[in-house]
């Protein structure tokens, strides 16, 4: 889920974006028709009773259940998850359409509080599951094949066993969750409310960040300095949010006895800490041959003595900066998907035709791009803030990949469809790769090929190098917060400590860039999420190399991997392709693809 900062102006009202064509909007009626729909009231009533009945029937009794009884218990829990997920999907998506609307904010908050209250009695379920003896649970699983299907999710639940607190404390933390959510909403609403003035035009953060890809260097500089000015004016609020959420996490981690701040994320991702560290170390070791080398090339292309931060995502001087309208973007992505396998095109088509994408930039609309799976008996929804840039086409390919993955995994059911974040980025990054390869194949000149290659390298650096730098920043932030309150200057210093190392010696850093950590939503919403992007990119590069080496039968194996959802560990999912992410050399394979593209760009200079 690649989340970008949010716009609060209408792109179709600005001169640069009026020719995008008709942009699709969500039709949320497949979830509920309105916030006062009778079906929504019915489901809330059902959920309250179902949770009460579940607790009455099973609390203190899980160890007495036979295989059939435990399976029925899991099915009932799955149904509760489905209805609660449907309600929260509707409330959340509706809020994301207009975060500045008080009624929508209240509706989301009220739904969250009701569902938290309804589901508090269910906290016992995972606690008692974790108290079952391994031998006892193993026998039950051996007796019932349908029950055994749930082993992967039971294993993930039981991985938390060493960090489990008392029943009373777990219920307390469950109830307290709504307070943490409030800090996240403060962050979102603060971002949504920021306004920036660039050359006399008032913009939100999305529109301002978009200027960093303009051909006009003075426009990029003006946008960068205005971002720094506004972030600086609001830095105390952002520092307070980060201090509070990091402290909250530290307290919970300490009580649970988690050895590191990252442990919880690794457990939820079903990935071993050493695999993540191998990825991180491989990427950091590759900085010189990736980002450092590429940005030195780009410095020469731009004719600069030194690069500034506003040059990082600048288009090349030879690049045609015309706007890509929506019908063209749809055609490019659909052609790439269908060329790989017609089944992929068939799954993707309804997103465009049935109101499953919300693409326009509108006042108050929430952070930039994501695919939300909702629940397994509805369908995913994709959100974009489409401004007609070539990168926006790649973002469409990315999020549509998530959507295809979520559709294919839905047959696993509510508890097994959800893919750990490390694998959740596989289909999205693969979708980008398919789109890029199709565009490269259709390039009409060496100049067009060079622009496409450079754009892909930049996207990969942003996905791999930048995200690992983000991960290192978070590691430093959470470690420092454990020692005490952090001032804005403290956080600024941590940010700058990773920037020069990752971007390389071609760059200077303007005054004010030290505050650019402030707008990254992942740090607040999903601590340590960011390494999943690098994981996904490296995995997809290795997958695509396997596809090129042995295309026969690849499509079927790929579809089976996506259909598996969260029902298999990454080792089992990658085995049919002859790949193993726990092999330290695995990451070098993925990074060598990026390095190879840079080799090709360097060869074009000779």
């Amino acid at each position: 889920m690649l989340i970008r900062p949010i716009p609060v102006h209408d792109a179709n009202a600005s001169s640069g974006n009026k020719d995008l064509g008709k942009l699709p909007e969500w039709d949320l009626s497949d979830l509920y028709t309105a916030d006062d729909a009778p079906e929504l009231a019915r489901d809330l009533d059902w959920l309250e009773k179902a949770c009460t009945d579940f607790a009455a029937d099973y609390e203190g009794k899980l160890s007495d259940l036979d295989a059939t009884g435990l399976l029925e218990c899991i099915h009932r829990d799955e149904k509760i998850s489905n209805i609660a997920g449907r309600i929260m999907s509707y409330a959340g998506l509706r809020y994301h359409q207009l975060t500045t609307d008080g009624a929508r904010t209240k509706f989301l908050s009220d739904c969250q509080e009701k569902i938290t209250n309804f589901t508090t009695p269910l906290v016992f379920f995972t606690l008692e599951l974790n108290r079952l003896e391994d031998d006892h649970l193993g026998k039950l699983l051996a007796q019932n094949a349908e029950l055994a299907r749930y082993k992967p999710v039971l294993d993930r639940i039981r991985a938390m066993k060493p960090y489990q607190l008392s029943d009373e404390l777990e219920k307390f933390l469950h109830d307290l969750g709504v307070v943490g959510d409030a800090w996240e909403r403060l962050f979102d609403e603060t971002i949504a409310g920021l306004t920036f003035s660039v050359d006399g035009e008032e913009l939100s953060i999305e529109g301002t960040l978009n200027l960093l890809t303009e051909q006009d260097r003075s426009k990029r500089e003006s946008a960068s300095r205005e971002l720094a000015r506004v972030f600086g004016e609001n830095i105390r609020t952002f520092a307070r949010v980060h201090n509070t959420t990091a402290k909250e996490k530290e307290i919970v981690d300490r009580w649970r006895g988690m050895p590191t701040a990252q442990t919880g994320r690794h457990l939820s991702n079903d990935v071993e800490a050493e695999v993540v560290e191998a990825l991180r170390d491989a990427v950091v070791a590759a900085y010189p041959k990736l980002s450092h080398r590429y940005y030195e090339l780009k410095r020469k292309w731009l004719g600069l003595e030194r690069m500034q931060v506003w040059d990082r995502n600048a288009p090349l001087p030879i690049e045609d900066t015309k706007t890509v309208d929506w019908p063209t973007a749809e055609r490019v992505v659909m052609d790439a998907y269908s060329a790989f396998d017609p089944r992929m095109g068939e799954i993707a088509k309804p997103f465009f035709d049935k109101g499953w994408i919300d693409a326009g930039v509108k006042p108050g609309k929430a952070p930039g791009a994501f695919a939300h799976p909702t629940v397994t008996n509805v369908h995913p929804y994709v959100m974009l803030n489409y401004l007609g840039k070539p990168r926006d086409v790649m973002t469409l390919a990315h999020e549509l990949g998530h959507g295809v993955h979520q559709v294919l995994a839905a047959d696993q059911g509510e508890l097994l469809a959800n893919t750990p974040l490390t694998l959740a980025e596989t289909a999205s990054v693969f979708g980008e790769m398919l789109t890029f390869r199709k565009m490269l194949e259709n390039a009409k000149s060496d100049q067009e090929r060079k622009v496409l290659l450079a754009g892909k390298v930049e996207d990969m650096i942003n996905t791999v190098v930048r995200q690992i730098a983000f991960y290192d920043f978070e590691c430093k932030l959470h470690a420092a917060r454990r020692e005490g309150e952090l001032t804005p200057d403290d956080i600024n210093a941590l940010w700058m400590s990773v920037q020069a190392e990752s971007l390389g010696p071609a760059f200077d850093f303007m005054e004010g860039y030290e505050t650019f950590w402030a707008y990254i939503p992942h740090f607040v919403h999903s601590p340590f999420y960011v390494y999943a992007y690098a994981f996904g990119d490296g995995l997809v590069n290795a997958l695509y190399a396997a596809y090129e080496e042995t295309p026969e039968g690849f499509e079927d194996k790929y579809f089976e991997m996506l259909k598996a959802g969260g029902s298999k560990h990454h080792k089992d999912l990658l085995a049919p392709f002859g790949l193993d992410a726990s092999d330290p050399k695995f990451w070098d394979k993925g990074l060598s693809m990026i390095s190879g593209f840079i080799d090709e760009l360097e060869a074009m200079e000779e």
Side-chain angles (χ1 to χ4, degrees):
M1 182 175 63
L2 181 56
I3 296 178
R4 291 182 171 81
I6 68 177
V8 288
H9 72 289
D10 188 346
N12 292 322
S14 70
S15 59
N17 303 293
K18 62 184 178 183
D19 299 320
L20 296 176
K22 183 172 172 53
L23 296 172
E25 294 187 350
W26 280 335
D27 175 4
L28 299 180
S29 63
D30 288 342
L31 293 165
Y32 297 103
T33 54
D35 61 343
D36 58 355
E39 295 83 3
L40 178 57
R42 176 203 66 200
D43 283 355
L44 281 165
D45 289 342
W46 179 90
L47 187 64
E48 183 174 21
K49 185 175 187 305
C51 292
T52 301
D53 291 347
F54 186 93
D57 291 344
Y58 293 115
E59 188 165 12
K61 304 169 189 174
L62 245 58
S63 60
D64 299 329
L65 296 177
D66 60 14
T68 303
L70 183 56
L71 178 61
E72 182 188 350
C73 174
I74 288 172
H75 282 162
R76 284 175 63 177
D77 177 72
E78 198 161 30
K79 175 69 171 174
I80 288 169
S81 295
N82 178 274
I83 298 300
R86 189 184 195 111
I87 293 166
M88 287 312 302
S89 292
Y90 177 72
L93 292 172
R94 191 170 167 273
Y95 167 76
H96 279 96
Q97 286 181 304
L98 191 59
T99 62
T100 50
D101 179 58
R104 294 189 187 214
T105 303
K106 174 177 165 51
F107 179 72
L108 173 63
S109 183
D110 288 348
C111 286
Q112 181 68 71
E113 288 189 19
K114 285 177 184 176
I115 288 175
T116 298
N117 290 337
F118 295 166
T119 56
T120 295
L122 307 188
V123 170
F124 81 89
F125 180 51
T126 54
L127 304 182
E128 288 192 28
L129 271 176
N130 286 347
R131 292 193 193 109
L132 296 179
E133 295 294 333
D134 290 343
D135 288 348
H136 174 66
L137 182 58
K139 287 175 183 175
L140 296 182
L141 295 172
Q143 292 166 13
N144 190 307
E146 175 63 14
L147 179 62
R149 201 175 71 82
Y150 289 94
K151 185 177 186 299
V153 75
L154 294 174
D155 287 345
R156 283 197 286 275
I157 290 170
R158 287 167 71 80
M160 280 294 293
K161 188 175 180 177
Y163 313 110
Q164 191 167 290
L165 301 174
S166 69
D167 292 15
E168 190 175 34
L169 272 175
E170 291 289 355
K171 288 179 180 178
F172 170 75
L173 289 176
H174 180 84
D175 277 353
L176 198 64
V178 295
V179 178
D181 292 341
W183 283 99
E184 292 176 20
R185 284 203 298 278
L186 172 63
F187 172 84
D188 288 344
E189 289 161 17
T190 302
I191 286 285
L194 297 181
T195 56
F196 303 80
S197 180
V198 183
D199 297 339
E201 184 178 7
E202 189 169 287
L203 300 166
S204 77
I205 192 168
E206 183 83 10
T208 311
L209 287 165
N210 187 53
L211 295 178
L212 300 183
T213 61
E214 286 290 313
Q215 194 68 261
D216 182 350
R217 192 176 192 232
S218 65
K219 179 77 77 173
R220 299 197 306 269
E221 179 177 356
S222 296
S224 297
R225 295 196 183 282
E226 179 66 358
L227 286 164
R229 183 188 69 79
V230 175
F231 292 158
E233 288 180 352
N234 293 273
I235 204 66
R236 292 178 65 84
T237 299
F238 290 119
R240 172 56 48 225
V241 170
H242 280 66
N243 267 290
T244 305
T245 54
K247 183 61 179 178
E248 179 190 34
K249 187 179 189 316
E250 185 272 324
I251 292 168
V252 174
D253 286 350
R254 175 159 40 86
W255 275 77
R256 290 195 181 283
M258 288 191 170
T260 71
Q262 301 88 339
T263 299
R265 176 60 64 198
H266 299 337
L267 287 170
S268 68
N269 282 349
D270 197 20
V271 65
E272 300 78 12
E274 56 269 23
V275 172
V276 177
E277 289 311 304
L279 162 65
R280 181 262 170 204
D281 292 347
V283 173
V284 171
Y287 283 171
K289 69 177 182 181
L290 299 181
S291 50
H292 297 186
R293 186 160 62 117
Y294 173 75
Y295 288 129
E296 179 58 26
L297 264 180
K298 188 168 187 178
R299 182 190 66 76
K300 293 175 184 175
W301 294 334
L302 295 175
L304 300 173
E305 287 294 321
R306 301 285 300 160
M307 291 268 279
Q308 258 295 351
V309 290
W310 54 77
D311 300 314
R312 186 172 61 84
N313 285 324
L316 304 190
I318 60 173
E319 191 168 334
D320 181 357
T321 56
K322 70 179 181 183
T323 298
V324 182
D325 64 25
W326 181 255
T328 301
E330 177 181 347
R331 186 178 66 254
V332 166
V333 175
M334 284 296 296
D335 284 353
Y337 274 38
S338 298
F340 171 71
D341 193 302
R343 291 173 291 178
M344 188 173 284
E346 289 167 13
I347 295 167
K349 195 73 175 79
F351 283 84
F352 295 96
D353 299 341
K354 295 188 175 181
W356 299 3
I357 299 177
D358 196 303
V361 178
K362 292 169 282 192
K365 189 175 170 183
F370 61 76
H372 181 53
T374 70
V375 288
T376 55
N377 55 349
V378 185
H379 56 76
Y381 283 91
V382 164
M383 196 186 82
L384 306 170
N385 280 286
Y386 190 81
L387 289 163
K389 297 279 187 179
R391 276 193 174 90
D392 293 339
V393 180
M394 287 300 176
T395 300
L396 170 61
H398 181 102
E399 300 305 340
L400 199 60
H402 278 308
V404 168
H405 193 176
Q406 291 157 0
V407 169
L408 285 168
D411 285 345
Q412 292 290 343
E414 219 60 55
L415 296 181
L416 286 166
N418 190 35
T419 309
L421 290 180
T422 42
L423 293 166
E425 294 298 333
T426 305
S428 54
V429 179
F430 196 81
E432 282 190 73
M433 182 64 80
L434 291 174
T435 304
F436 163 70
R437 293 287 187 174
K438 193 69 177 173
M439 294 169 73
L440 197 65
E441 180 186 311
N442 295 332
K444 295 179 176 62
S445 66
D446 287 345
Q447 179 172 302
E448 188 178 347
R449 183 178 178 85
K450 179 178 179 178
V451 168
L452 285 168
L453 273 172
K456 185 58 179 172
V457 168
E458 290 197 15
D459 285 344
M460 293 170 111
I461 287 173
N462 285 338
T463 304
V464 177
V465 170
R466 185 166 166 81
Q467 301 302 328
I468 289 300
F470 283 178
Y471 176 66
D472 279 355
F473 167 72
E474 284 192 276
C475 291
K476 291 183 176 186
L477 176 86
H478 285 265
R481 183 65 184 91
R482 290 186 175 204
E483 302 303 315
E485 176 87 6
L486 300 175
T487 67
D489 286 344
D490 292 335
I491 304 176
N492 292 347
L494 296 175
W495 173 256
M496 292 308 297
S497 73
V498 302
Q499 291 302 302
E501 178 189 23
S502 62
L503 292 177
F507 280 91
D508 287 331
F509 298 94
M510 69 168 189
E511 185 178 349
Y513 181 67
E514 66 275 6
T515 63
F516 275 45
W517 54 268
Y519 76 89
I520 310 297
H522 299 77
F523 300 157
V524 176
H525 287 283
S526 308
F528 305 108
Y529 179 107
V530 289
Y531 73 72
Y533 290 120
F535 196 109
D537 194 273
L539 193 156
V540 164
N541 291 343
L543 261 184
Y544 202 87
Y547 174 44
E548 290 184 313
E549 289 167 15
T550 315
E552 186 70 29
F554 181 91
E555 294 90 338
D556 288 339
K557 288 190 286 187
Y558 180 71
F559 273 81
E560 287 305 309
M561 179 177 72
L562 299 191
K563 287 177 183 176
S567 67
K568 292 183 180 179
H569 187 265
H570 62 77
K571 263 187 177 292
D572 300 321
L573 284 172
L574 293 175
F577 303 96
L579 300 172
D580 181 2
S582 62
D583 178 359
K585 295 178 182 176
F586 172 84
W587 301 113
D588 293 330
K589 290 179 186 175
L591 296 172
S592 68
M593 179 175 285
I594 310 175
S595 187
F597 286 157
I598 301 173
D599 290 342
E600 190 171 344
L601 286 167
E602 284 183 335
M604 289 179 176
E605 298 300 293
E606 295 170 0

